Amino acid sequence: MAFEGLTTRLQNVFGKLRGKGKLSEDDVNEAMREVRLALLEADVNFKVVKDFIAKVKEKAVGLEVTKSFTPGMVVVDIVHKELIELMGGTQSKLAKANRPPTVVLMAGLQGAGKTTLVGKLAKLLQSQNHKPLLVAGDIYRPAAIKQLQVLGGQIDVPVFSLGDQVSPVEIARQGVARAKEEGRDYVLIDTAGRLQIDEALMEEIKQIHAAVNPDEVLLVVDAMTGQEAVNVAKSFHDQLALTGVVLTKLDGDTRGGAALSVKAVTGCPIKFASTGEKIDQLEAFHPDRMASRILG
Ligand code: GDP
């Protein structure tokens, strides 16, 4: 890995301190500079970093340094625990409606990985004995409907489509009705993204939301976009009641700081991590693993 791990950095800072007793404010300030750099290099938003540092500092000043625990280890442990806490603590599961079907709405920019995610979630649900229905609500990207049909075909899950001449709001509404008729217990609705946030996109997805009243609204975010992920999350969160986040493209060489930022900005748990283009490359999101990845 191209980055120097935080543990090594802190050991350098604290090397001289061994056996010194309590950590002074100066010692901690020096350490926090390293923590700050490590987080910024991992692409965590600077505001998020600032709040985070303040919290960690509070816990670290005055800490007792013993022979068995070096100050570096103690601080890394505090940072690690605090990161896990910030990312929601424990693993968060997909919603399940009291009365089926559970309606899941995808939101996000074009290219974030929404259509791919619909296929992946369907496969996961199917392996848990659920019966999903996929709804082709992205009528603007030329290949999106076909892409969803191919994905559905691969895993033998039906795809509801009304072509590209009917409004996505109507498609979503009829899709949910179809799921009820056919006893499908999850409806996964693909939606259109744009290259950037725009009003028409937001208005449309808000209307879909109002029409189908989803149990889960998943914001799909490309982890490789780093800082931009924060702006995207903010815009969607302001307009739409998000219930969860899915980070995609974590197979790339990103340190994953976007995870921390997006969670901090939206307050929504990150539910899944997508780690490749293949249909089975989807994992439940584990805050502890991501904390280790961010710290390097
Ligand atoms: P949409 O516009 O949001 O529906 O995005 P797509 O689902 O079409 O995905 C855009 C591109 O990203 C496609 O080429 C996908 O194969 C790719 N993709 C999606 N998820 C991942 C992932 O987790 N890792 C990688 N490497 N590629 C992904």
Side-chain angles (χ1 to χ4, degrees):
M1 190 162 280
F3 307 92
E4 190 183 3
L6 186 62
T7 313
T8 320
R9 290 176 178 209
L10 289 180
Q11 254 142 23
N12 294 339
V13 172
F14 288 127
K16 16 183 187 29
L17 277 176
R18 215 169 276 258
K20 198 182 146 191
K22 286 192 163 97
L23 287 184
S24 74
E25 183 147 9
D26 280 351
D27 301 335
V28 172
N29 279 341
E30 205 179 331
M32 288 307 110
R33 262 199 293 279
E34 298 297 326
V35 174
R36 187 168 174 276
L37 270 177
L39 293 178
L40 289 174
E41 278 174 12
D43 235 341
V44 181
N45 175 267
F46 74 96
K47 271 200 193 131
V48 176
V49 172
K50 208 172 147 207
D51 294 348
F52 183 81
I53 295 288
K55 258 197 215 151
V56 172
K57 204 174 140 183
E58 207 173 283
K59 297 205 165 148
V61 175
L63 261 185
E64 205 69 60
V65 176
T66 63
K67 282 219 172 65
S68 44
F69 293 104
T70 65
M73 279 159 71
V74 173
V75 174
V76 165
D77 188 51
I78 295 173
V79 172
H80 194 254
K81 284 194 175 124
E82 206 61 39
L83 279 177
I84 293 173
E85 205 47 49
L86 251 189
M87 285 188 285
T90 52
Q91 199 211 312
S92 183
K93 294 205 157 59
L94 192 68
K96 186 168 187 277
N98 289 331
R99 267 185 37 206
T102 302
V103 178
V104 183
L105 183 63
M106 306 296 165
L109 294 186
Q110 183 172 323
K114 291 182 297 303
T115 308
T116 309
L117 177 69
V118 168
K120 289 177 171 188
L121 265 186
K123 180 158 201 289
L124 184 74
L125 286 166
Q126 200 182 35
S127 75
Q128 298 166 348
N129 294 320
H130 291 293
K131 296 198 306 183
L133 174 70
L134 313 186
V135 176
D138 181 358
I139 62 168
Y140 305 109
R141 185 160 62 87
I145 297 177
K146 184 81 199 145
Q147 186 185 344
L148 200 64
Q149 284 165 339
V150 168
L151 284 168
Q154 272 176 31
I155 53 176
D156 208 16
V157 167
V159 178
F160 180 83
S161 165
L162 293 175
D164 60 5
Q165 298 301 311
V166 176
S167 89
V169 179
E170 194 51 35
I171 294 170
R173 200 194 320 264
Q174 290 194 32
V176 173
R178 174 69 61 87
K180 283 182 187 156
E181 281 162 28
E182 297 187 351
R184 314 293 307 183
D185 62 352
Y186 271 87
V187 187
L188 310 181
I189 305 174
D190 191 20
T191 64
R194 303 281 195 279
L195 291 175
Q196 284 171 328
I197 300 282
D198 74 27
E199 264 180 47
L201 161 83
M202 282 299 174
E203 202 39 55
E204 184 175 282
I205 197 160
K206 274 156 77 174
Q207 283 178 23
I208 297 174
H209 190 285
V212 300
N213 192 23
D215 304 285
E216 182 90 83
V217 184
L218 291 178
L219 177 66
V220 183
V221 181
D222 179 343
M224 297 291 286
T225 57
Q227 295 297 312
E228 181 55 19
V230 175
N231 300 333
V232 171
K234 223 183 168 75
S235 310
F236 275 94
H237 182 61
D238 286 348
Q239 307 259 356
L240 212 58
L242 301 172
T243 59
V245 176
V246 178
L247 280 183
T248 63
K249 311 193 189 180
L250 278 168
D251 47 313
D253 62 1
T254 167
R255 283 282 289 284
L260 194 61
S261 311
V262 169
K263 171 68 174 69
V265 166
T266 64
C268 290
I270 300 164
K271 300 202 166 179
F272 296 98
S274 171
T275 55
E277 296 191 80
K278 294 206 192 83
I279 199 155
D280 55 358
Q281 287 174 317
L282 183 71
E283 299 167 8
F285 179 82
H286 294 281
D288 52 343
R289 287 186 209 160
M290 185 52 82
S292 305
R293 177 167 175 161
I294 289 173
L295 291 182

